[in-house]
């Protein structure tokens, strides 16, 4: 029998009335293995669920979008393995949210984007990186580590850590 969007029109998309498209399910089936592979490549014995921290951050940066500009799932500024691309973004400067265009890293593949992100964490955000590799550390350690980098903060939004902790609940 016909059931519009599997009785869940808020979460599912049913453009033609045949079946509901589950963007959430697609996201986790695609990004989950990529995140686990990237974290496991760090050559540590942390449990695979630490990859959920990275998925929470991906969702904060790009929602459920499977294609992100420049294969840059974490919106890293700087250069990727194939250079840079200009992207419109919002930054908080002196407490005010300002729209601007900045240069973001461009990667040859999504996997390269994950790897570039983890290298950035290891190099500039060691507290966040260690939260991925140390089973005694939590999402709070990870989120707080993103705000305490060698070169500054990962995100200028002052509420980024609390938003990330809330996002993990949904992940």
């Amino acid at each position: 029998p016909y059931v519009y969007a599997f009785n869940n029109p808020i979460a599912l998309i049913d453009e033609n009335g045949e079946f509901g498209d589950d963007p959430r399910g697609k996201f986790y089936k695609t990004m989950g293995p990529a995140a686990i592979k990237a974290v496991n490549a760090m050559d540590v014995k942390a449990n695979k669920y630490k990859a959920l921290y990275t998925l929470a951050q991906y969702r904060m940066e790009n929602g459920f979008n499977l294609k992100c500009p420049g294969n840059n799932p974490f919106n890293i500024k700087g250069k990727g393995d194939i250079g840079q691309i200009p992207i419109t973004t919002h930054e908080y400067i002196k407490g005010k949210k300002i729209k601007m265009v900045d240069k973001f890293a461009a990667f040859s593949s999504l996997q390269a984007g994950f790897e570039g992100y983890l290298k950035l964490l290891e190099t500039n955000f060691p507290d966040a990186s260690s939260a991925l590799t140390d089973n005694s550390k939590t999402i709070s350690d990870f989120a707080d580590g993103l705000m305490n980098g060698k070169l500054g903060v990962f995100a200028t939004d002052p509420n980024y850590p609390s938003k990330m902790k809330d996002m993990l609940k949904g992940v």
Side-chain angles (χ1 to χ4, degrees):
Y2 173 78
V3 178
Y4 177 76
F6 296 114
N7 280 333
N8 193 353
I10 293 173
L12 304 178
I13 300 165
D14 192 358
E15 292 178 5
N16 59 12
E18 292 179 11
F19 59 89
D21 185 16
D22 180 7
R24 185 182 185 95
K26 277 185 181 178
F27 174 83
Y28 289 115
K29 285 178 184 171
T30 303
M31 295 304 157
I36 290 169
K37 182 178 179 183
V39 171
N40 285 344
M42 296 174 78
D43 196 30
V44 296
K45 294 186 179 180
N47 73 59
K48 68 181 179 182
Y49 297 105
K50 291 290 188 157
L52 294 177
Y53 297 178
T54 64
L55 290 178
Q57 188 174 11
Y58 182 115
R59 290 233 0 248
M60 294 235 338
E61 297 289 335
N62 289 294
F64 286 119
N65 294 326
L66 294 175
K67 294 181 182 176
C68 41
N71 288 315
N72 187 345
F74 301 96
N75 296 333
I76 300 168
K77 292 180 183 165
K79 290 186 179 179
D81 65 339
I82 62 169
Q84 296 178 306
I85 58 171
I87 297 177
T88 300
T89 186
H90 292 91
E91 299 295 340
Y92 286 83
I93 299 173
K94 296 183 181 179
K96 290 186 178 184
K97 188 175 181 179
I98 299 173
K99 185 177 180 179
M100 61 193 315
V101 175
D102 211 339
K103 293 180 182 177
F104 286 76
F107 295 97
S108 56
S109 68
L110 184 63
Q111 196 64 43
F114 269 96
E115 291 165 7
Y117 163 73
L118 291 174
K119 275 187 200 166
L120 174 73
L121 291 183
E122 288 176 21
T123 306
N124 295 316
F125 300 93
D127 293 339
S129 181
S130 71
L132 292 175
T133 60
D134 182 342
N135 285 328
S136 70
K137 296 198 176 178
T138 68
I139 186 67
S140 294
D141 297 313
F142 179 72
D144 292 343
L146 291 171
M147 302 305 281
N148 187 26
K150 291 179 180 178
L151 302 175
V153 298
F154 188 93
T156 58
D157 181 345
N159 298 312
Y160 200 79
S162 62
K163 288 178 181 178
M164 174 148 330
K165 293 171 203 172
D166 288 342
M167 181 62 73
L168 183 65
K169 293 173 188 172
V171 171

